[in-house]
């Protein structure tokens, strides 16, 4: 609101308001006073003339009676005067009167009846002696008064006051307008002057006003304009002087411009690196830290064994849910901005719940809680919806249950709530035995940035957004979420989920155990119910632990107390006496497990277990036994019909052939691809169990190929992809892992490293050739090229998988390609093209890693490291050493035929 408007309101509104209030009070007072005075005048006049009228009526003098009555009628406002005798008959009527009722009762005293428009006065007639007359013999006076004249007078008063108010308002408006213009005009002039100053017009323009304050303001603005004008003049002079000096030193300026251009390019590169770093960090921040850190801790405390495959699968699942587990605020903002889109793809609810259980297994094991997932048989096997958002809701609810539960159990249930054709509604619940919630806490539980108790954020952590996101996600998917809880009794969070289902397909039976008998010991009732139901579904029969004799499997569920002392001795004796394999379900981590003797075979699963793990273990223990192949004291266990497919992607043919020779086995099918596009063409029609991916390839590099493979389908999203490269920096390794690769192998790769990857990702062990028992190592950077041999065929033989002829062929092919490679490196360096130079150096580095040329391998490895860390400035001296090493190697090619 402007100052002018405020002044008008202040000078005009307040006086008018006071006037209105006073006028209202005057009207009210006038109306009250008028009524009272009129009533008093009417009653006084009637009572004053009553004795004279009574005497005239007693005397029977009608003329005198009429004359006295006319005196009364002359009063203002009276419309009629009527005299009644003692029988109630009219003796005299003056004016216009309303007809009376047929029978009237004489009044005993003066009465005044007030209607809306007519007042009726009844006065008993008295004698001249002042004594009341006998009413039955004398009569009474009745006068009628019309009070509409009072209303007319009130309306006249209101009209007069309104006219006065209008005149007062007009006068006040003129006064207020004059005052406001007097007060605001100098301010407007000052505003205009400042606007001109902001536009660059520095001429003094304001005229001094009469009031002291406005005069001082005008003087200051004029002074500011003069200061700006002088500053502009001085700046113009300085610019002219600087321009003159710049023109005199143009050559120096051009040189500086060149340096600035180089610095600008460097800044752009640094900015690109920063942007890439921020993108990577943003990608990495969304990694589900709880699941990854938990399993990485397990891996860090153990050596490579069969269980690592299981852990790494959990890590992969956690990586597939990057956006789901960490960035609650980002999801919340998307939901609030209505920018979240839902997918509609196929959902396997059993696999989805297995992923949730596997992700939270470390925390459940740490707290020794029972975490059980139940998918009822009436849930359709084929559903369509958004698995990522369902997983997010389940993961959040399970995480909260684990957070607030210190002992007991967490049970996840999925059941069919209703069904109409292909439209089904699932009810999924997560129950715990934690601290519980009261009614007040339940009401505020789903609000943003709030938790049940303010101390929970300090004690248990969390942002208070998880349940809000769950509620909004469930509502977006068409369902509802609720909580049922009592303090100290745990809580049950449940939500409904409308989905599309193919009711014609039944859930396939994962196993067929053909009446196998399983002797079961499971103290935890929900877990025992799940096990009994699954075994019944698979065709097995679960018998009580006390029954023994003809069972095919002994299944024992053991707690931490069963791992020590007499309890362990007892269970070990039970296992020894059992005539069948033993499966131990341990409510602990694998590092807490003691050594168990399993004389008839068996396995150990750590709770919480998934249905997939249970199926694989039952298949191993109850289906046909695996065969064993021995070779050179190394053992390989492979299922009779198991064949693994390994895809090798490398643009260098010798590297592909060498990796193929190292992996070739009757149980491994090798597929070769010379480029990323060939790998994608194969992946669209086929699947693989593992991929060895070269990183630096033309057109599409290894990282781009990996990301494209991950997007094909869920099978390729889970497939282990190992980077194979001749050189990698620590930050590059981390970046590749973030971008979708599972591990990084640095050339030269030996069979021991391949064995570790096969065992880690595929769970198999291949025989190692005796020639390869010693792990070949690349020359360390601590050596100098002069201290290394130009050709070392023994090293080449080990690098080539123990085949000396193949090693010679590899070395010859390397030497024959050196001339072209040297020319490419020289041209790229002359053109200052670091990217092309790195590509050629990396290609030479990779090729030399598999050949017995230690001097060249060390030189090119050092060169690539310098190029990646220091740029072209650090490479010139090493390039001369590289050319010299290439020359010495070419000179010794002829000696290969003599060896």
């Amino acid at each position: 609101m402007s100052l002018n408007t405020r002044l008008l309101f202040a000078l005009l509104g307040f006086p008018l308001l006071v006037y209105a209030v006073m006028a209202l009070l005057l009207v009210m007072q006038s109306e009250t006073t008028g009524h009272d005075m009129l009533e008093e005048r009417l009653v006084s006049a009637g009572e004053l003339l009553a004795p004279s009228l009574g005497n005239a009526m007693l005397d029977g003098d009608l003329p005198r009676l009429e004359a006295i009555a006319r005196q009364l009628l002359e009063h203002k406002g009276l419309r009629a005067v009527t005299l009644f005798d003692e029988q109630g008959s009219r003796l005299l009527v003056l004016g216009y009167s309303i007809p009376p009722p047929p029978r009237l009762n004489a009044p005993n005293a003066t009465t005044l009846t007030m209607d809306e428009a007519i007042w009726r006065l009844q006065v008993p007639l008295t004698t001249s002696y002042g004594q009341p007359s006998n009413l039955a013999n004398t009569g009474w006076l009745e006068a009628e008064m019309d009070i509409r004249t009072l209303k007319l007078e009130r309306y006249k008063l209101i009209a007069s006051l309104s006219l006065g108010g209008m005149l007062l308002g007009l006068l006040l408006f003129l006064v207020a307008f004059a005052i406001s213009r007097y007060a605001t005009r100098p301010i407007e002039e000052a505003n205009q002057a400042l606007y001109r100053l902001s536009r660059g017009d520095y001429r003094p323009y304001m005229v001094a006003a009469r009031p002291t304050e406005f005069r001082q303001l005008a003087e200051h603005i004029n002074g500011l304009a003069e200061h700006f004008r002088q500053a502009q003049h001085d700046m113009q002079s300085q610019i002219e002087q600087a321009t003159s000096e710049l023109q005199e030193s143009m050559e120096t300026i051009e040189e500086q411009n060149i340096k600035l251009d180089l610095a600008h390019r460097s800044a752009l590169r640094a900015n690109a690196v920063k942007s890439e770093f921020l993108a990577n960090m943003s990608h990495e921040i969304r990694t589900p830290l709880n699941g990854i850190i938990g399993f990485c801790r397990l891996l860090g405390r153990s050596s490579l064994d069969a269980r690592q495959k299981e852990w790494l699968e959990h890590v992969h699942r956690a990586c597939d849910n990057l956006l789901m587990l960490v960035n609650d605020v980002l999801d919340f903002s998307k939901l609030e901005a209505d920018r979240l889109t839902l997918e509609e793809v196929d959902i396997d609810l059993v696999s989805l719940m297995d992923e949730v259980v596997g992700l939270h297994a470390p925390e459940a094991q740490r707290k020794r809680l029972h975490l059980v997932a139940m998918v009822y048989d009436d849930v359709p096997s084929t559903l369509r919806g958004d698995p990522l958002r369902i997983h997010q809701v389940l993961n959040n609810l399970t995480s909260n249950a684990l957070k607030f539960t210190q002992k007991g159990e967490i049970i996840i249930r999925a059941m069919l709530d209703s069904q109409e054709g292909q439209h089904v509604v699932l009810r999924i619940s997560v129950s715990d035995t934690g601290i519980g919630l009261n009614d007040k806490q339940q009401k505020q539980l789903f609000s943003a940035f709030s938790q049940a108790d303010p101390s929970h954020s300090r004690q248990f952590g969390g942002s208070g957004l998880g349940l809000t996101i769950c509620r909004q996600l469930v509502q977006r998917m068409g369902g509802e979420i609720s909580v049922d809880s009592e303090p100290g009794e745990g809580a049950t969070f449940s939500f409904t989920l409308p989905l599309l289902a193919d009711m014609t397909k039944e859930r396939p039976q994962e196993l067929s155990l053909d009446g196998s008998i399983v002797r079961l010991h499971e103290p935890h009732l929900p877990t025992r119910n799940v096990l009994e139901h699954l075994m019944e579904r698979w065709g097995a029969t679960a018998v009580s632990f006390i029954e023994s004799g003809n069972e095919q499997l002994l299944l024992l569920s053991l707690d931490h107390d069963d791992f020590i002392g007499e309890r362990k001795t007892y269970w070990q004796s039970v296992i020894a006496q059992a005539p069948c394999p033993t499966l131990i379900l341990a409510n602990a981590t694998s590092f807490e497990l003691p050594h168990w003797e399993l004389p008839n075979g068996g396995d150990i699963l750590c709770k919480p277990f998934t249905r997939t793990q249970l199926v694989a273990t039952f298949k191993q223990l109850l289906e046909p036994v695996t065969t064993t192949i021995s070779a050179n004291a190394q053992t390989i266990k492979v299922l009779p019909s198991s064949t693994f497919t390994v895809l090798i992607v490398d643009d260098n043919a010798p590297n592909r052939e060498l990796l193929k020779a190292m992996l070739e086995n009757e149980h491994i099918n090798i597929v070769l691809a010379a480029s990323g596009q060939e790998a994608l063409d194969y992946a669209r029609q086929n699947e693989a169990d593992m991929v060895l991916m070269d990183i630096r390839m033309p057109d599409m590099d290894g990282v781009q190929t990996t990301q494209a493979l991950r997007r094909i389908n869920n099978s390729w999203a889970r497939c282990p992809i190992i980077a194979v490269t001749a050189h990698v920096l620590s930050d590059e390794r981390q970046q590749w892992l973030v971008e979708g690769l599972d591990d990084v192998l640095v050339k030269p790769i030996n069979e021991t490293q391949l064995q570790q990857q096969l065992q880690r990702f595929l769970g198999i062990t291949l025989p190692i050739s005796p020639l390869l028992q010693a792990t070949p190592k690349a020359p360390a950077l601590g050596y100098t090229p002069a201290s290394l041999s130009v050709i070392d065929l023994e090293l080449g033989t080990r690098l080539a998988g123990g085949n000396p002829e193949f090693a010679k062929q590899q070395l010859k092919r390397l030497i024959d390609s050196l001339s072209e490679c040297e020319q490419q490196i020289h041209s790229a360096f002359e053109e200052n093209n670091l990217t092309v130079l790195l590509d050629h150096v990396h290609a030479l580095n990779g090729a030399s890693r598999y050949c017995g040329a230690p001097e060249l391998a060390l030189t090119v490895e050092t060169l690539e490291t310098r190029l990646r860390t220091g740029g072209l400035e650090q490479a010139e001296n090493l390039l001369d050493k590289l050319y010299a090493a290439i020359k010495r190697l070419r000179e010794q090619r002829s000696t290969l035929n003599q060896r």
Side-chain angles (χ1 to χ4, degrees), residues 519-521 544-549 551 553-558 562 566-584 596-601:
R519 183 182 172 196
L520 176 61
H521 169 73
S544 174
F545 176 70
I546 60 176
E547 302 178 21
S548 62
E551 65 269 13
L553 178 66
L554 174 61
L555 199 158
L556 300 177
S557 179
L558 304 181
D562 297 318
E566 296 180 356
R567 299 291 298 169
K568 181 179 184 301
T569 303
Y570 168 74
W571 289 116
Q572 188 65 70
S573 65
V574 170
I575 295 171
Q577 295 171 8
C580 59
T582 302
L583 173 58
I584 298 178
W596 291 93
E597 294 289 343
L598 304 176
N600 295 316

Side-chain angles (χ1 to χ4, degrees), residues 247-529:
Q247 289 176 350
E248 294 176 357
S249 57
M250 185 61 68
E251 294 181 358
T252 304
I253 293 175
E254 289 179 357
E255 182 180 353
Q256 292 296 325
N257 284 338
I258 294 174
K259 293 182 179 180
L260 288 174
D261 183 62
L262 294 176
H264 176 68
R265 294 181 182 180
S266 177
L268 289 178
R269 288 196 298 270
N271 187 56
V273 172
K274 182 192 72 174
S275 300
E276 183 179 359
F277 170 76
L278 291 177
N280 293 336
M281 287 302 297
S282 175
H283 185 85
E284 189 174 355
I285 287 173
R286 296 171 187 169
T287 304
L289 297 179
N290 292 334
I292 291 179
I293 292 174
F295 286 110
C296 286
R297 286 176 179 173
L298 293 175
L299 289 175
R301 294 167 55 188
S302 68
S303 60
L304 293 175
D305 53 30
R307 291 187 177 90
Q308 282 193 332
K309 179 182 178 181
E310 173 190 346
W311 294 334
L312 288 176
E313 288 177 355
H314 291 309
V315 174
H316 293 319
R317 294 190 188 102
C319 292
D320 290 337
N321 295 286
L322 296 175
L323 296 178
M324 181 183 61
L325 302 177
V326 173
N327 205 341
D328 281 347
V329 176
L330 177 61
D331 280 347
F332 182 74
S333 62
K334 284 183 178 180
L335 287 166
E336 290 297 315
D338 197 19
R339 293 185 179 180
L340 188 72
T341 57
L342 298 177
E343 296 181 348
E344 188 172 331
V345 297
D346 291 339
I347 301 173
D348 183 357
L349 197 59
V350 173
S351 300
L352 190 147
M353 293 184 70
D354 279 353
E355 290 182 10
V356 173
V357 170
L359 187 64
H360 294 282
E363 182 66 13
Q365 292 170 352
R366 185 182 70 83
K367 290 188 171 184
R368 297 178 186 172
L369 300 174
H370 293 280
L371 178 58
V372 184
M374 302 180 185
V375 179
Y376 287 30
D377 289 342
D378 57 359
V379 175
S381 60
T382 304
L383 299 168
R384 288 190 65 80
D386 192 331
L388 180 65
R389 300 305 170 187
I390 300 174
H391 190 292
Q392 183 172 0
V393 175
L394 270 177
N395 176 73
N396 199 297
L397 295 180
T398 306
S399 177
N400 282 349
L402 286 169
K403 183 190 302 183
F404 297 106
T405 304
Q406 301 303 321
K407 62 180 179 178
E409 62 190 22
I410 293 97
I411 300 178
I412 309 173
R413 296 180 176 90
M415 63 192 75
L416 185 64
D417 192 59
S418 63
Q419 172 188 347
E420 292 183 7
Q422 291 186 342
H423 297 272
V424 299
V425 178
L426 299 186
R427 178 168 294 277
I428 302 176
S429 64
V430 178
S431 303
D432 62 65
T433 57
I435 60 178
L437 302 164
N438 58 36
D439 293 338
K440 180 180 179 182
Q441 292 170 342
Q442 293 179 37
K443 291 179 181 178
Q444 67 181 12
L445 195 59
F446 293 100
S447 301
F449 301 104
S450 66
Q451 294 188 343
D453 191 288
S455 63
H456 288 174
S457 60
R458 299 187 298 271
Q459 183 177 359
F460 300 102
S463 62
L465 281 176
L467 290 177
T468 303
I469 293 174
C470 288
R471 177 178 58 83
Q472 296 193 20
L473 286 177
V474 169
Q475 291 177 351
R476 289 292 180 89
M477 292 185 287
E480 296 180 352
I481 188 170
S482 61
V483 59
D484 182 17
S485 177
E486 292 291 339
E489 300 295 332
T492 298
F493 288 84
S494 61
F495 61 94
T496 56
L497 201 61
L499 298 171
L500 291 176
D502 186 356
M503 305 303 297
T504 61
K505 296 182 180 180
E506 296 182 358
R507 183 175 298 279
Q509 185 172 326
E510 300 94 337
L511 285 175
S512 180
L513 301 181
D514 298 330
S516 300
I517 299 176
V518 180
R519 183 182 172 196
L520 176 61
H521 169 73
E522 175 54 77
H524 186 239
L525 181 59
T527 306
R528 183 168 72 248
N529 293 336

Side-chain angles (χ1 to χ4, degrees), residues 77-123:
L78 280 179
R79 56 180 288 179
V81 176
T82 305
L83 294 176
F84 293 90
D85 59 11
E86 62 274 11
Q87 285 80 23
S89 299
R90 291 187 180 187
L91 295 179
L92 180 66
V93 177
L94 298 178
Y96 175 74
S97 173
I98 299 175
R103 180 65 178 171
L104 295 176
N105 295 323
N108 296 323
T110 301
T111 59
L112 180 64
T113 303
M114 300 183 200
D115 292 334
E116 183 177 355
I118 301 298
W119 286 4
R120 190 182 302 275
L121 176 67
Q122 291 180 334
V123 181

Side-chain angles (χ1 to χ4, degrees), residues 725-737:
T725 182
H727 185 278
V728 60
L729 301 174
S730 59
D731 56 345
E732 288 181 321
R733 176 190 292 269
Q734 183 65 27
Q735 180 180 352
W736 295 344
L737 295 178

Side-chain angles (χ1 to χ4, degrees), residues 61-77:
D61 190 354
L62 291 177
R64 187 161 59 94
L65 187 67
E66 182 178 356
I68 296 172
R70 287 190 180 278
Q71 293 178 7
L72 179 63
L73 185 62
E74 290 175 357
H75 282 76
K76 184 178 180 181

Side-chain angles (χ1 to χ4, degrees), residues 818-858:
L818 288 178
S819 297
E820 180 182 0
C821 184
E822 182 179 2
Q823 181 62 35
Q824 293 171 341
I825 292 174
H826 182 75
S827 299
F829 181 75
E830 291 296 327
E831 296 172 0
N832 288 328
N833 194 329
L834 179 61
T835 303
V836 176
L837 179 61
L838 268 174
D839 290 339
H840 294 314
V841 171
H842 180 77
L844 179 59
N845 190 9
S848 63
R849 285 301 183 99
Y850 288 112
C851 301
E855 180 188 13
L856 178 63
L858 175 61

Side-chain angles (χ1 to χ4, degrees), residues 62 76 83 105 121 131 155 198 224 230 243 272 413 419 533 607 627 680 730 743 776 801 824 827 855 865 877 897:
L62 291 177
K76 184 178 180 181
L83 294 176
N105 295 323
L121 176 67
Q131 299 296 328
Y155 292 153
S198 68
L224 181 63
Q230 186 63 36
T243 303
R413 296 180 176 90
Q419 172 188 347
H533 175 76
K607 290 183 178 181
T627 58
L680 289 178
S730 59
D743 205 345
Q824 293 171 341
S827 299
E855 180 188 13
T865 302
N877 294 335
N897 297 326

